[in-house]
Amino acid sequence: MMRFLTDWQAVTGLVLVVLFFASALFAPWIAPYDPNAMDIPARMSGPTWAHIAGTDQLGRDTFSRILHGGRVALYIAAIGVSASLSIGLVLGMIAGYGPRWLDNLLLLAFDAVRSFPAVILALATVALTGPSLTVVLAIVILTTIPSYGRVARTATLALRHTEFILAERSLGASTPRILFQHIMPNVIGPLLILAAMEVPVVVSIEAGLSFLGIGVLPPQASWGTILNEGYLVIRDAPWMVVAGGIPLILTTLGFTFLGEALRDIFDPRMGRGR
């Protein structure tokens, strides 16, 4: 804790992450206006005391839409990262501890998924199902599973022939008991650090898909839709693009700083190398 609190990057990252969670969770109470309420006479007005981030082409308050867009980002990040981490952890441990043929099969599946760009996969899926938040969530989960699976597999391979695992096997412990009671506690740490660094990636995927019109559908607020709407009127109202990009930048910095700080604390070799 002392190392964490004396690292300016760690403290900065923690503050930005807490700000992200607080603004998303309490957006209905913090937002000064209804994010979908239109005020046509005030459309495309610049930042003022009444609208600190200006208004869009329909007169909606941009700051209120940014706060509610954070709720979508938090929803995608929380469920997407949790689901992909859990699935990747299980598949990675099975690949590292199971027979060689199963390991090769799962590695082939990981490589096949990673070979598909997320945008191309999303376009193909949307062509069949139509755009929705569920499609974005499914794409996020599917494309991020291999990252956790490979890390879990590598850590499991390093542990499977250690003395305490061999002792459990000699005592007749079942494979599920060895995986979930002995290997998983030693594998989960690096995955949690990776998850902290993956959050901005997941948020960026959601924003990118929404920007292309294949994610969150209007009038629901999303950072990607705010950027898309601002891009269409960037010559007349550049503040929309700036206001929509700032939360993405701050979220990326916050989780990146926090993830690097946790990595340095839990891996002494990284801490000594800096």
Side-chain angles (χ1 to χ4, degrees):
M1 182 61 69
M2 291 301 299
R3 287 184 57 192
F4 185 88
L5 295 177
T6 54
D7 186 345
W8 71 268
Q9 285 190 356
V11 175
T12 302
L14 181 61
V15 170
L16 291 176
V17 168
V18 171
L19 182 63
F20 166 66
F21 276 97
S23 61
L25 291 174
F26 300 106
W29 297 275
I30 300 175
Y33 301 95
D34 183 336
N36 298 322
M38 294 183 291
D39 185 6
I40 300 301
R43 62 187 297 269
M44 295 178 63
S45 64
T48 61
W49 287 112
H51 303 282
I52 61 175
T55 60
D56 62 8
Q57 61 270 38
L58 296 177
R60 297 172 297 187
D61 182 64
T62 304
F63 180 67
S64 299
R65 292 183 61 77
I66 288 173
L67 291 176
H68 283 267
R71 294 175 67 85
V72 175
L74 178 60
Y75 172 79
I76 293 293
I79 297 181
V81 171
S82 299
S84 58
L85 186 151
S86 301
I87 298 172
L89 171 63
V90 173
L91 294 179
M93 291 193 302
I94 292 175
Y97 194 78
R100 186 64 177 270
W101 67 267
L102 183 58
D103 182 22
N104 293 334
L105 181 62
L106 289 174
L107 281 179
L108 179 62
F110 292 158
D111 293 338
V113 172
R114 289 180 64 89
S115 66
F116 282 92
V119 175
I120 302 301
L121 184 59
L123 289 172
T125 305
V126 168
L128 298 174
T129 64
S132 68
L133 192 59
T134 303
V135 171
V136 174
L137 188 58
I139 296 299
V140 164
I141 294 174
L142 183 62
T143 55
T144 53
I145 284 176
S147 300
Y148 300 104
R150 281 190 165 276
V151 173
R153 171 187 174 271
T154 302
T156 303
L157 286 173
L159 291 170
R160 64 178 298 177
H161 295 301
T162 54
E163 288 79 2
F164 73 99
I165 297 297
L166 295 177
E168 284 292 324
R169 293 175 59 183
S170 66
L171 292 173
S174 63
T175 298
R177 177 184 175 87
I178 293 175
L179 288 178
F180 292 101
Q181 292 194 14
H182 298 283
I183 291 181
M184 187 174 71
N186 292 280
V187 173
I188 194 67
L191 290 184
L192 293 177
I193 297 173
L194 177 62
M197 295 184 174
E198 282 285 326
V199 169
V201 176
V202 170
V203 172
S204 299
I205 291 176
E206 182 276 321
L209 296 180
S210 297
F211 179 85
L212 295 174
I214 56 178
V216 177
L217 295 177
Q220 186 175 9
S222 167
W223 292 345
T225 57
I226 293 172
L227 287 173
N228 177 269
E229 293 165 357
Y231 175 75
L232 298 176
V233 294
I234 191 170
R235 294 182 180 273
D236 300 316
W239 54 85
M240 289 179 59
V241 174
V242 175
I246 287 176
L248 279 172
I249 295 173
L250 295 180
T251 301
T252 300
L253 287 177
F255 280 98
T256 301
F257 285 169
L258 183 62
E260 289 184 351
L262 293 175
R263 180 196 61 189
D264 293 346
I265 290 173
F266 288 106
D267 189 348
R269 293 172 299 177
M270 296 299 298
R272 289 196 300 267
R274 293 187 61 179

